[in-house]
Amino acid sequence: VCIFLDPGPQDETCIWGSQRNFELDAVSSKFTDFVEQEVLPFVSEKCGVKLTTNPDQRAVMGTSSGGNAAITMGLTGRFNRILTQSPSCVNLGYPYNPQAPLQGWDYHSGKELIKNQGKVEGLRVVVVTNEFDLWYQSDVKYHFNWVAASLRTAKALKEKGYACLHIFTKEGIHVDPRGMAQCFPDAVKWIWSDKPAKPFEAWSGER
């Protein structure tokens, strides 16, 4: 069963300024709780299916802000199969959280939440980094370099001892579909396996 979710509006009707930043970029359990307590029961009832609660049989995929949310959901211990591309592990979350003042950036830098929180048993993560992602030339002191964020996130996951398959897409841009088209089948197979990560480099430029 695949469930697709879009964030709320990003217009004048949004009391938070951006539902995307509130729902997907914020480093907290709120979005995971929303999925667990409202979305999954709704789908189960409307579609007449029984959805597992076993973390090893649940996967989350996200790109950009959704990628940050996928990592957040994985670190709760409730979803053990994670696939993310161009994760926005940067300072985008809203509202301000004193436990993670730099929001997604605090996963790998600053508070180093991946390193310093307890380890989630069984977590497997695919991180797809694109060479020319957003703000790739920006100084990391501004906490908005997507390439640095993705590289550091993968590094932090590996150093924590997680199974992490890190794919680097040459000449890839933000959420580049060309690189994903090349690596997606193998990435999906890998997160559902128990195989160790092997070097994998995707190429997405023109031949």
Side-chain angles (χ1 to χ4, degrees):
V1 177
C2 294
I3 302 169
F4 297 86
L5 290 177
D6 285 329
Q10 300 186 72
D11 54 29
E12 66 279 359
T13 66
C14 177
I15 61 173
W16 294 102
S18 172
Q19 280 295 113
R20 180 190 180 99
N21 299 142
F22 175 65
E23 295 171 15
L24 305 181
D25 293 305
V27 175
S28 76
S29 65
K30 288 184 178 180
F31 183 72
T32 309
D33 294 340
F34 166 67
V35 171
E36 189 88 66
Q37 298 169 12
E38 298 188 43
V39 176
L40 299 186
F42 175 83
V43 172
S44 182
E45 179 183 354
K46 293 298 182 180
C47 298
V49 295
K50 183 177 181 180
L51 301 174
T52 183
T53 58
N54 183 345
D56 290 334
Q57 296 179 18
R58 295 165 131 189
V60 180
M61 176 183 172
T63 62
S64 193
S65 294
N68 184 75
I71 291 171
T72 301
M73 294 174 75
L75 292 174
T76 66
R78 289 181 259 177
F79 299 83
N80 275 359
R81 317 286 180 167
I82 306 299
L83 199 165
T84 176
Q85 183 200 26
S86 294
S88 295
C89 294
V90 295
N91 188 15
L92 275 182
Y94 187 85
Y96 177 77
N97 178 1
Q99 280 71 50
L102 299 177
Q103 300 290 353
W105 193 263
D106 274 322
Y107 274 139
H108 51 79
S109 306
K111 297 283 187 178
E112 295 186 289
L113 298 176
I114 292 174
K115 174 183 176 181
N116 293 321
Q117 75 171 46
K119 186 178 179 182
V120 177
E121 293 302 321
L123 181 64
R124 295 174 67 82
V125 185
V126 174
V127 178
V128 181
T129 301
N130 292 312
E131 184 178 14
F132 299 137
D133 213 319
L134 300 177
W135 286 45
Y136 69 95
Q137 294 177 313
S138 171
D139 193 310
V140 294
K141 69 181 181 181
Y142 299 115
H143 317 127
F144 276 103
N145 185 318
W146 265 252
V147 180
S150 187
L151 292 171
R152 290 183 179 188
T153 298
K155 182 174 183 288
L157 290 165
K158 291 180 180 181
E159 290 180 345
K160 186 69 174 183
Y162 290 123
C164 177
L165 177 61
H166 185 208
I167 301 171
F168 186 82
T169 304
K170 292 183 177 180
E171 301 181 27
I173 59 175
H174 192 59
V175 297
D176 198 318
R178 299 167 297 173
M180 283 299 283
Q182 180 177 336
C183 69
F184 183 75
D186 288 333
V188 171
K189 291 177 183 177
W190 183 84
I191 62 169
W192 287 111
S193 73
D194 57 1
K195 296 179 180 179
K198 295 182 179 180
F200 191 116
E201 187 174 81
W203 186 91
S204 66
E206 295 181 358
R207 295 186 183 277

